[in-house]
Amino acid sequence: MNALHFITGRDFPGWLADLSREREVLVPRRLDGDWTFAPPSGGEAPEGLSPYRAIESLKNFLFAGRETVARFPAPVSPAAHPRALVGLKACDLACLGVLDYIFLEGACADPFYRRAREETLLVSQDCSSFKEVCFCPLVGGQPHPLRGFDLNLTV
């Protein structure tokens, strides 16, 4: 079901605060000239959502750096970790098709990846600028997401 809703910049911090009551929220924040994902600071609006892709890969949020998958003699169930990633770009979301195919559709689906995907709210955002390393038009992409997101923000 597609729906169109409007939210003003003034209301955006409140929306993030409401969202953070149910899950960890990460938004793009400027760090040393690049954008990185971090929790929103003190109810203030982010410095405007990032005009182009943040430096972290979406993959970093779907796989733990270290995770206990079994304790002899039985496997461990994946832990719950609800999260919302706000400001993802179309190129971030493009990786999901490959990751889902490998980790969800094979004979040995990964329950930890499945749990992370199910509990991560993907809030995408259109690109409003580009960086010299951006490449979406070269691979047939667009500066706006077409699929793979739960909610899209247009500035």
Side-chain angles (χ1 to χ4, degrees), residues 22 28 55 63 97 100 104 131 135 153:
E22 301 172 3
I55 57 177
F63 294 97
D100 288 354
L104 296 178
K131 209 169 177 183
F135 57 87
L153 303 173

Side-chain angles (χ1 to χ4, degrees), residues 4-5 14 22 31 39 49 53 93 104 109 129 137 143-144:
L4 181 62
H5 298 280
E22 301 172 3
L31 176 70
L49 291 170
R53 186 182 180 280
L93 298 171
L104 296 178
S129 186
H144 54 273

Side-chain angles (χ1 to χ4, degrees), residues 121-142:
L121 178 69
L122 303 173
V123 181
S124 59
Q125 179 208 347
D126 299 349
C127 290
S128 59
S129 186
F130 63 92
K131 209 169 177 183
E132 55 277 352
V133 296
C134 291
F135 57 87
C136 68
L138 295 174
V139 294
Q142 300 291 324

Side-chain angles (χ1 to χ4, degrees), residues 54-83:
I55 57 177
E56 291 102 346
S57 167
L58 177 56
K59 181 178 130 181
N60 294 346
F61 300 103
L62 298 175
F63 294 97
R66 183 179 204 154
E67 194 159 35
T68 302
V69 297
R71 291 201 193 283
F72 184 77
V76 172
S77 295
H81 188 78
R83 172 182 293 147

